[in-house]
Amino acid sequence: MIKPVLKVISHPELEHPVFIAGLTGFGAVGKISADLLIESSKAQLFAELYSPYLPDYVIISEDGMVRLPKYSFYYSRNLERDVIILACDTQPPADSLEAHYQMCGIALDLAEEYKCDFVVTMGGFPTPDTTKEVFIAATEQELVERFATEKSGIYKKGRIIGATGLLLGLAKVRGMKGISILGVTSGIAEDHKAAFSVFKFVTQLIRKL
Amino acid sequence: MIKPVLKVISHPELEHPVFIAGLTGFGAVGKISADLLIESSKAQLFAELYSPYLPDYVIISEDGMVRLPKYSFYYSRNLERDVIILACDTQPPADSLEAHYQMCGIALDLAEEYKCDFVVTMGGFPTPDTTKEVFIAATEQELVERFATEKSGIYKKGRIIGATGLLLGLAKVRGMKGISILGVTSGIAEDHKAAFSVFKFVTQLIRKL
Amino acid sequence: MIKPVLKVISHPELEHPVFIAGLTGFGAVGKISADLLIESSKAQLFAELYSPYLPDYVIISEDGMVRLPKYSFYYSRNLERDVIILACDTQPPADSLEAHYQMCGIALDLAEEYKCDFVVTMGGFPTPDTTKEVFIAATEQELVERFATEKSGIYKKGRIIGATGLLLGLAKVRGMKGISILGVTSGIAEDHKAAFSVFKFVTQLIRKL
Amino acid sequence: MIKPVLKVISHPELEHPVFIAGLTGFGAVGKISADLLIESSKAQLFAELYSPYLPDYVIISEDGMVRLPKYSFYYSRNLERDVIILACDTQPPADSLEAHYQMCGIALDLAEEYKCDFVVTMGGFPTPDTTKEVFIAATEQELVERFATEKSGIYKKGRIIGATGLLLGLAKVRGMKGISILGVTSGIAEDHKAAFSVFKFVTQLIRKL
């Protein structure tokens, strides 16, 4: 395997879906949010992305079964809007810039194939500010203003590192719109409370798009 | 040399061979197992893989002869089943994920050319658990159950790092079946006892496939 | 995104423009010089270069707007000579040699498309020598002699590291001419005085080309 | 520049030339040997190799002239045998395995274009053994035996790291013959004595080929 391989399992019919990514990162907020979303929406796996930039090991299950680390794409038609959800086991190493750009590019290619033009990324935001549940940033002024509330602050003058930021930035270059929802978290331990806040916010956001 | 170069020495006629890899790693278990298998089965070298991802040095023999590091492919028709055996001097650096994926991909391409659909990888498993001789993990539930015994435990909830795991994971994505045999070893010194356990296990396994 | 993407915003008509680059580096001298030049010449953005070798984050504005880091190309017809100005947010990591060569190559491709055959690079030069305001080095003996003055010394026997040097070296291989203007700076803090010296020098240089 | 660029300056007529490489390394032995050979044989520059894997800086001369680091190819018809000599300013970083393989591959491509089938590499060998002036290793048993003397020992059971070894190993895979001459040196300071021993040895070797 020299190039990433997208293994397509099925071709669901989706109507103008929203693309939602919850990847590994601070407090595992993105990952747990994605898991909550997949479970609550009874989402189905329809594509897997393998890549030579992912770690060179296999993951062994409780039964002794091996499998490669991967990015997994799920879809659901059970919410107010059809959705594609991206989840993953792990990401390329932090210093593999090219790998991150490539994986995010392939994910957005798949999203665009399904006529998706709106991207939501979910992650954690390590901050001592506990007056907010989540912080948001977006590709358009209008989106930030529309979704900022007392509990959801605007993330100003900073950076969103990794795929959570990159997916949004790359989407913007392609002319797509998008928003990032970052759950306030205090550390690197799995933060289920922060993930639930993000999950709740995204569920409501889908209704309003 | 920009891309890996597979130098084919001969084109043996093999009937539905099993592909068996024993690469460098913990306790050199995989490498020594492969050497034992090559010697006992009177296997013949038939292909060499050179790669720009392998170290940039030449190895000098006792006679002052130089040669590049390489992956070597042997075959044997002297066992219950025809086999292709992969051995090597060294591997790409641990952090060259892309290189590992590429080398394993080329090895599996060669295996598939010979209509091989079963992969065995041999390696070491550093653990203080001495009630077992080897641990096994596989691409299918059926394989794990069939080959687990009192002396060969099932490797549960873990990772197999490097080519020993990757070959199996990549084989699975291609629809091939496979099993990994990991000899219990206590350290990083060459562990001939562990390698012999793996060799023995694999020899018996070939009979039953 | 696997390869760099040049997003062209407009196709200005330029007459034999000079290509001027002011990138990030020592004392931010290059970057600030470019900003001064863009402002004073009322330059317009006409192309953006995104690259998988740039950092994998998005930059968030004061309003919560996200965007990818990029190289920006401006033009101006308001000076004695038409100019293309290259500015940037950030550069590829220092050890990504290939990335630097590639980004500089794309920038020079764009310059050549506009029939540009003269390159000016602006940067900082950390030195305790305060008898000079700037140091210069060039692709041709004639240029060095013509532009060296009491305040602008000749940079002898050294290296210009990063894009500031590379753009000039690559330009020379392509048969273009060029000069590097390095503002004397004492440290890594933003050095506006050094940047102003470089800006002043370049403004005068444009008149004489 | 995304790929290496070979800039050909002239196309000399050479009769079955020997390819001789003296690159940077231990005690600068290879580099100084190459310089001695170029000077004594009045060799002419006929090709330059630029590469995105070489350092991203320009070298500034005493006159303030800039140029990129490069590999330089010289030829001479003034010795017993026609020769192509490879010299360089610097090499790719030590951990850029792919870069070393690529640069050496391009150098050998050029050599083969001129019907060269014999490669000599010159370098340093850090060892306290001062009974020898040089150590040799080769692609063929016959060569080692023919050129080993009291002062030139056979290098047994070791490695030749970097381009000095790699050029020989890659040449062997291509079916070319070759020998490596390593001057005994005590440290990393420029070792002109060791370089002179290598130069002397190579000058005599050319006569006997």
Side-chain angles (χ1 to χ4, degrees):
Chain A
M1 191 197 292
I2 302 174
K3 292 178 182 174
V5 171
L6 185 74
K7 201 172 161 178
V8 176
I9 296 163
S10 73
H11 292 275
E13 295 226 350
L14 301 174
E15 205 170 324
H16 202 53
V18 179
F19 179 80
I20 306 171
L23 302 179
T24 50
F26 294 120
V29 174
K31 185 176 165 42
I32 302 172
S33 307
D35 289 346
L36 289 169
L37 207 57
I38 289 165
E39 207 184 316
S40 68
S41 71
K42 299 193 178 69
Q44 302 291 319
L45 181 73
F46 75 103
E48 297 173 330
L49 177 58
Y50 296 95
S51 165
Y53 294 113
L54 288 175
D56 60 333
Y57 56 67
V58 284
I59 296 162
I60 310 179
S61 71
E62 287 195 22
D63 306 322
M65 294 299 93
V66 303
R67 67 171 184 79
L68 287 178
K70 61 182 174 179
Y71 278 25
S72 299
F73 296 87
Y74 295 81
Y75 75 94
S76 170
R77 306 200 58 176
N78 303 322
L79 301 175
E80 280 79 358
R81 280 280 295 269
D82 288 359
V83 294
I84 293 174
I85 304 165
L86 168 58
C88 72
D89 299 306
T90 180
Q91 293 190 54
D95 62 350
S96 291
L97 304 179
E98 199 189 349
H100 282 283
Y101 272 86
Q102 189 178 40
M103 299 290 278
C104 290
I106 293 172
L108 291 175
D109 284 348
L110 185 68
E112 287 197 304
E113 218 176 276
Y114 284 91
K115 312 286 178 210
C116 169
D117 61 6
F118 199 93
V119 172
V120 179
T121 68
M122 308 183 296
F125 184 43
T127 170
D129 179 350
T130 54
T131 65
K132 308 290 181 192
E133 287 182 351
V134 301
F135 277 88
I136 65 173
T139 56
E140 326 282 318
Q141 188 69 38
E142 180 264 334
L143 286 168
V144 176
E145 282 164 10
R146 191 159 140 217
F147 292 105
T149 66
E150 207 177 319
K151 288 288 182 189
S152 58
I154 301 173
Y155 185 2
K156 295 173 184 175
K157 289 208 84 166
R159 289 173 184 175
I160 306 175
I161 295 172
T164 307
L166 207 55
L167 278 168
L168 216 56
L170 286 167
K172 190 175 184 179
V173 171
R174 289 169 182 237
M176 299 164 86
K177 292 181 181 178
I179 189 165
S180 192
I181 318 299
L182 305 171
V184 169
T185 180
S186 55
I188 58 165
E190 287 203 357
D191 191 336
H192 289 266
K193 186 160 164 280
F196 191 72
S197 298
V198 172
F199 163 68
K200 233 176 31 187
F201 190 96
V202 169
T203 309
Q204 286 163 8
L205 180 140
I206 292 170
R207 280 191 204 120
K208 296 174 193 162
L209 283 181
Chain B
M1 193 197 290
I2 302 174
K3 292 178 180 174
V5 171
L6 185 75
K7 200 172 162 179
V8 176
I9 296 162
S10 73
H11 292 275
E13 294 226 350
L14 301 174
E15 205 170 323
H16 202 53
V18 179
F19 179 80
I20 306 172
L23 301 179
T24 50
F26 295 120
V29 174
K31 184 176 165 43
I32 302 172
S33 307
D35 289 346
L36 288 169
L37 208 57
I38 289 165
E39 208 183 315
S40 69
S41 71
K42 300 194 179 70
Q44 302 292 318
L45 182 72
F46 75 103
E48 297 173 330
L49 177 59
Y50 296 95
S51 166
Y53 293 113
L54 288 176
D56 60 334
Y57 56 67
V58 284
I59 297 162
I60 309 178
S61 71
E62 287 196 22
D63 305 321
M65 295 298 91
V66 302
R67 68 171 185 79
L68 287 179
K70 60 182 174 179
Y71 277 26
S72 299
F73 296 87
Y74 295 82
Y75 76 93
S76 170
R77 307 201 57 175
N78 303 321
L79 301 175
E80 280 79 358
R81 279 281 296 270
D82 287 359
V83 294
I84 293 173
I85 304 165
L86 168 59
C88 72
D89 299 305
T90 180
Q91 292 190 55
D95 61 349
S96 291
L97 304 179
E98 198 190 350
H100 283 282
Y101 272 86
Q102 189 178 41
M103 300 290 278
C104 290
I106 294 173
L108 291 176
D109 284 347
L110 185 68
E112 287 197 304
E113 217 176 276
Y114 284 90
K115 312 286 179 210
C116 168
D117 61 7
F118 199 92
V119 171
V120 179
T121 68
M122 309 183 294
F125 184 43
T127 170
D129 179 351
T130 54
T131 65
K132 309 289 181 192
E133 286 181 352
V134 301
F135 277 88
I136 65 173
T139 55
E140 325 283 318
Q141 188 69 37
E142 180 264 333
L143 286 168
V144 175
E145 282 164 9
R146 192 160 138 217
F147 292 105
T149 66
E150 206 177 319
K151 287 289 183 187
S152 58
I154 301 174
Y155 186 2
K156 296 173 182 174
K157 290 208 83 166
R159 290 173 184 176
I160 306 175
I161 295 173
T164 306
L166 207 54
L167 279 167
L168 216 57
L170 286 167
K172 190 176 184 178
V173 171
R174 288 169 182 236
M176 299 164 86
K177 291 180 181 178
I179 189 166
S180 193
I181 319 299
L182 305 171
V184 168
T185 180
S186 55
I188 58 165
E190 288 202 357
D191 191 336
H192 289 265
K193 187 160 164 280
F196 191 71
S197 298
V198 172
F199 164 68
K200 235 176 29 187
F201 190 97
V202 170
T203 308
Q204 287 164 8
L205 180 140
I206 292 170
R207 282 193 201 119
K208 296 175 193 161
L209 283 181
Chain C
M1 193 194 292
I2 302 175
K3 292 178 181 174
V5 171
L6 185 75
K7 201 173 163 178
V8 176
I9 297 163
S10 73
H11 292 276
E13 295 226 349
L14 301 175
E15 204 169 325
H16 202 53
V18 178
F19 178 79
I20 306 171
L23 302 179
T24 50
F26 294 119
V29 173
K31 185 176 166 42
I32 302 173
S33 307
D35 289 346
L36 288 169
L37 208 57
I38 289 165
E39 207 183 317
S40 69
S41 71
K42 299 194 179 70
Q44 302 291 320
L45 181 74
F46 76 102
E48 297 174 330
L49 178 58
Y50 297 95
S51 165
Y53 293 113
L54 288 176
D56 60 333
Y57 55 68
V58 283
I59 297 162
I60 309 179
S61 71
E62 287 195 23
D63 305 322
M65 293 300 91
V66 303
R67 68 171 183 79
L68 287 179
K70 61 182 174 179
Y71 277 25
S72 300
F73 297 87
Y74 296 81
Y75 76 93
S76 170
R77 306 201 59 175
N78 303 322
L79 301 175
E80 281 78 0
R81 279 280 296 269
D82 288 0
V83 294
I84 294 174
I85 304 165
L86 169 58
C88 72
D89 299 306
T90 180
Q91 293 190 54
D95 61 349
S96 292
L97 304 179
E98 199 190 349
H100 283 283
Y101 271 86
Q102 188 177 43
M103 299 290 279
C104 290
I106 294 172
L108 291 176
D109 284 348
L110 185 67
E112 287 198 305
E113 217 176 277
Y114 284 91
K115 312 286 180 209
C116 168
D117 60 7
F118 199 92
V119 171
V120 179
T121 68
M122 308 183 295
F125 184 42
T127 171
D129 178 350
T130 54
T131 66
K132 308 290 182 194
E133 287 183 351
V134 301
F135 277 88
I136 65 173
T139 56
E140 327 283 318
Q141 188 69 35
E142 179 264 334
L143 286 169
V144 176
E145 283 163 9
R146 193 161 138 215
F147 291 106
T149 67
E150 208 177 319
K151 288 288 184 189
S152 58
I154 301 173
Y155 185 4
K156 296 173 183 175
K157 289 209 84 168
R159 289 174 184 174
I160 307 175
I161 295 172
T164 306
L166 207 54
L167 278 168
L168 216 55
L170 287 168
K172 190 176 184 179
V173 171
R174 289 169 181 236
M176 300 164 85
K177 292 181 181 178
I179 189 165
S180 191
I181 318 299
L182 305 171
V184 168
T185 179
S186 55
I188 57 164
E190 288 202 355
D191 191 335
H192 289 266
K193 186 159 164 279
F196 191 71
S197 298
V198 171
F199 163 68
K200 233 175 32 185
F201 190 97
V202 170
T203 309
Q204 286 164 7
L205 180 140
I206 292 170
R207 279 191 205 123
K208 295 175 194 163
L209 283 179
Chain D
M1 192 196 291
I2 302 174
K3 293 177 179 174
V5 171
L6 185 75
K7 200 172 163 179
V8 176
I9 296 162
S10 73
H11 292 275
E13 295 225 350
L14 300 175
E15 205 171 323
H16 202 53
V18 179
F19 179 80
I20 306 171
L23 302 179
T24 49
F26 294 119
V29 174
K31 184 177 164 43
I32 302 173
S33 307
D35 289 346
L36 288 170
L37 207 58
I38 289 164
E39 207 183 316
S40 69
S41 71
K42 300 194 178 70
Q44 303 291 319
L45 182 73
F46 75 103
E48 298 173 330
L49 178 58
Y50 297 95
S51 166
Y53 294 112
L54 288 175
D56 59 333
Y57 56 67
V58 283
I59 297 161
I60 309 179
S61 71
E62 287 195 23
D63 305 322
M65 295 298 92
V66 303
R67 67 171 184 80
L68 287 178
K70 60 181 174 178
Y71 277 26
S72 299
F73 297 87
Y74 296 82
Y75 76 93
S76 170
R77 307 200 58 175
N78 303 321
L79 300 175
E80 280 78 0
R81 279 280 297 268
D82 288 359
V83 294
I84 293 174
I85 304 165
L86 168 59
C88 72
D89 299 305
T90 180
Q91 293 189 55
D95 61 349
S96 292
L97 304 178
E98 198 190 350
H100 282 282
Y101 271 86
Q102 189 178 41
M103 299 290 279
C104 290
I106 294 172
L108 291 175
D109 284 347
L110 185 68
E112 287 197 305
E113 218 176 276
Y114 284 91
K115 312 287 178 207
C116 169
D117 61 7
F118 198 93
V119 171
V120 179
T121 68
M122 308 183 296
F125 184 42
T127 171
D129 178 350
T130 54
T131 66
K132 308 289 181 194
E133 287 182 351
V134 302
F135 277 89
I136 64 173
T139 55
E140 326 284 317
Q141 188 70 36
E142 179 264 334
L143 286 169
V144 175
E145 282 163 10
R146 193 162 137 216
F147 292 106
T149 67
E150 207 177 319
K151 287 290 184 188
S152 58
I154 301 173
Y155 185 4
K156 296 173 183 175
K157 290 208 83 167
R159 289 173 184 175
I160 306 175
I161 295 173
T164 307
L166 207 53
L167 279 168
L168 216 56
L170 286 168
K172 191 176 183 178
V173 172
R174 289 169 181 236
M176 300 163 85
K177 292 180 181 176
I179 188 165
S180 192
I181 318 299
L182 305 171
V184 168
T185 180
S186 54
I188 57 165
E190 288 202 357
D191 191 336
H192 289 266
K193 187 160 162 280
F196 191 72
S197 298
V198 171
F199 163 68
K200 234 176 27 186
F201 190 96
V202 170
T203 308
Q204 287 164 6
L205 180 140
I206 293 170
R207 283 193 201 118
K208 296 175 193 162
L209 284 179

